[in-house]
Amino acid sequence: MDALILVGSFIVLIFLRVPVAYSLGLAALAGAWWIDIPFHAVMIQIAGAISKFSLLAIPFFVLAGAIMAEGGMSRRLVAFAGVLVGFVRGGLSLVNIMASTFFGAISGSSLADTASVGSVLIPEMERKGYPREFSTAVTVSGSVQALLTPPSHNSVLYSLAAGGTVSIASLFIAGIGPGLLLSAVMMSLCLLFAKKRNYPKGETIPLRQALKICVEALWGLFTMVIILGGILSGIFTATESAAIAVIWAFFVTMFIYRDYRWRDLPKLLHRTVRTLSIVMILIAFAGAFGYIMTLMQIPSKITSMFLTLSDNRYVILMCINFMLLALGTLMDMAPLILILTPILMPVITGIGVDPVHFGMIMLVNLGIGLITPPVGAVLFVGAAIGKVTIENTVKALLPFYAALFMVLMAVTYIPAISLWLPSIVL
């Protein structure tokens, strides 16, 4: 009955179109009232959930990505990717995936990736003879990489939701393998389509122009070196690297590229703060919701339920995958990470799955949800930028869904994809 009151009130509020963050907070209050917990104890949990030093990484990484996205970085990364792979048949589709790989390693956001890369490449791909639906599908599916590769702020959320027992640095390094695998699979699929449909072959860029493009792009790509190099060398923490990344992004955008106007900077900061305020409210209320769940012993009950289904961890992981895929199509990624991680953590530790490995499984699952209707935020953004209907975009995405599912299965059942690199460098 306890779980019914807590989860039921949350679901009812969602159906009443109450924002997810406030639904979590009100459901936590309803649960506290039911089990006779003072409301001030819930308020303490709300305040405590956002009083963590590691949380500063989120606003800094988001701000660094926003500065780079609006400061001309996406256009330069597209040009850089064109130098590397644009000359082969179907080269622009490969450029799209590779640009997402580079930009995702700077922004850490699928939405920013889709908006920035898509606004540049979708019209260009159509002009070169690619169907607009295909161009949009490539952009949307390729943006899932940003959730995996550092500096993914969703990895920071997972670390927070896991109670700080999983280091952000481990998650950052673990995301490199799955991210590169996803990129390779997407590019292979694009090559198959290019050969089958006879998509146009790109032009080779002259050496002098290629060198200029590479030098311009390297200024922005050095952000990845700062973030990963600083963390791995022990010079600074993940949170400190985020602050330094902001300073570097500001320097490159305003003094090297100089494409962004100083008078537009306050507007960028305002948009970033608005986005972050929503995220922080969500984190605060999710902390209270998790606290009530713990008092109701919901995580332990869920663990018992999964273990009664099977004692085979591969079967349990498949069940968890199907659950995450289904929920990912119905809710946004951040609240699901904050809600489900405390519930599933006892399950995966009980069956011997490394929490870092499970973090990658969760991110891939929920990343697929972001590009799947009915609540696929990245799908909607991509369709709007590509000026394609949702129905046509989803139809074009069908082979990409299959490829993403293959990546999910590989990440789930081959732990070394996620854990090999952290075991070497950390």
Side-chain angles (χ1 to χ4, degrees):
M1 190 63 183
D2 291 348
L4 181 63
I5 295 296
L6 182 67
V7 179
S9 58
F10 173 71
I11 294 173
V12 168
L13 289 166
I14 290 292
F15 275 109
L16 292 175
R17 296 186 180 276
V18 178
V20 173
Y22 298 116
S23 296
L24 286 170
L26 292 171
L29 290 175
W33 169 78
W34 178 255
I35 60 175
D36 199 24
I37 296 295
F39 283 173
H40 69 264
V42 178
M43 300 303 130
I44 291 172
Q45 294 300 318
I46 290 173
I50 54 175
S51 300
K52 295 179 173 65
F53 176 75
S54 60
L55 272 180
L56 286 174
I58 296 177
F60 284 133
F61 279 135
V62 171
L63 179 57
I67 293 172
M68 285 295 199
E70 298 190 24
M73 186 70 249
S74 57
R75 177 170 53 82
R76 288 172 172 85
L77 288 176
V78 167
F80 179 60
V83 171
L84 299 178
V85 294
F87 55 88
V88 301
R89 184 167 300 282
L92 269 182
S93 60
L94 303 184
V95 168
N96 196 318
I97 299 295
M98 187 166 285
S100 290
T101 304
F102 292 143
F103 190 74
I106 293 173
S107 69
S109 166
S110 287
L111 281 173
D113 192 326
T114 299
S116 300
V117 175
S119 60
V120 175
L121 272 176
I122 292 176
E124 180 65 15
M125 289 178 72
E126 185 184 31
R127 191 174 69 84
K128 293 291 186 181
Y130 294 80
R132 186 171 277 268
E133 291 84 358
F134 174 77
S135 306
T136 304
V138 171
T139 304
V140 168
S141 58
S143 69
V144 177
Q145 296 171 83
L147 304 172
L148 302 169
T149 52
S152 168
H153 52 263
N154 289 289
S155 293
V156 180
L157 283 179
Y158 175 79
S159 174
L160 170 73
T165 57
V166 185
S167 77
I168 297 173
S170 297
L171 292 168
F172 277 4
I173 303 304
I176 294 175
L180 293 178
L181 174 63
L182 192 152
S183 176
V185 171
M186 293 291 112
M187 292 178 76
S188 300
L189 185 60
C190 288
L191 284 172
L192 288 175
F193 278 125
K195 184 177 181 180
K196 182 179 179 181
R197 301 174 182 176
N198 197 32
Y199 285 148
K201 190 175 182 180
E203 300 176 357
T204 302
I205 299 174
L207 180 60
R208 179 174 294 183
Q209 185 182 351
L211 289 174
K212 181 182 178 182
I213 290 171
C214 291
V215 170
E216 286 189 345
L218 287 176
W219 284 104
L221 290 172
F222 193 69
T223 309
M224 294 186 290
V225 179
I226 292 174
I227 294 170
L228 290 179
I231 293 173
L232 296 179
S233 63
I235 297 175
F236 39 70
T237 65
T239 304
E240 292 163 346
S241 75
I244 295 170
V246 170
I247 297 172
W248 178 255
F250 178 80
F251 170 74
V252 171
T253 299
M254 306 307 295
F255 296 101
I256 303 297
Y257 294 157
R258 292 184 289 184
D259 288 349
Y260 202 72
R261 296 175 297 185
W262 285 88
R263 66 173 178 267
D264 291 334
L265 199 57
K267 296 178 183 177
L268 183 148
L269 292 172
H270 179 256
R271 287 193 297 272
T272 303
V273 169
R274 285 187 62 184
T275 301
L276 290 170
S277 64
I278 297 170
V279 174
M280 299 309 286
I281 290 172
L282 177 61
I283 292 171
F285 288 146
F289 189 85
Y291 169 68
I292 299 300
M293 277 199 308
T294 302
L295 293 180
M296 291 180 172
Q297 297 183 330
I298 292 176
S300 60
K301 293 174 183 176
I302 297 290
T303 302
S304 300
M305 182 195 73
F306 272 107
L307 293 178
T308 55
L309 291 175
S310 173
D311 57 358
N312 188 314
R313 70 172 173 176
Y314 300 111
V315 174
I316 294 175
L317 282 174
M318 183 59 75
C319 293
I320 291 174
N321 274 329
F322 285 133
M323 182 185 74
L324 291 174
L325 284 171
L327 291 175
T329 65
L330 301 174
M331 278 182 65
D332 202 7
M333 187 171 194
L336 283 175
I337 291 174
L338 293 168
I339 294 170
L340 295 177
T341 302
I343 294 176
L344 295 176
M345 190 61 67
V347 178
I348 61 103
T349 53
I351 59 176
V353 176
D354 190 291
V356 174
H357 175 211
F358 182 69
M360 297 303 106
I361 296 172
M362 177 174 275
L363 293 181
V364 176
N365 270 295
L366 301 185
I368 295 173
L370 284 179
I371 64 171
T372 308
V375 191
V378 175
L379 171 65
F380 296 150
V381 170
I385 292 172
K387 298 178 182 177
V388 184
T389 64
I390 298 295
E391 293 80 7
N392 288 340
T393 305
V394 171
K395 185 178 179 181
L397 272 169
L398 290 177
F400 293 93
Y401 287 137
L404 285 168
F405 186 76
M406 289 171 56
V407 172
L408 173 61
M409 291 297 99
V411 171
T412 299
Y413 294 115
I414 309 176
I417 295 174
S418 303
L419 301 179
W420 178 73
L421 200 55
S423 68
I424 294 176
V425 300
L426 294 178

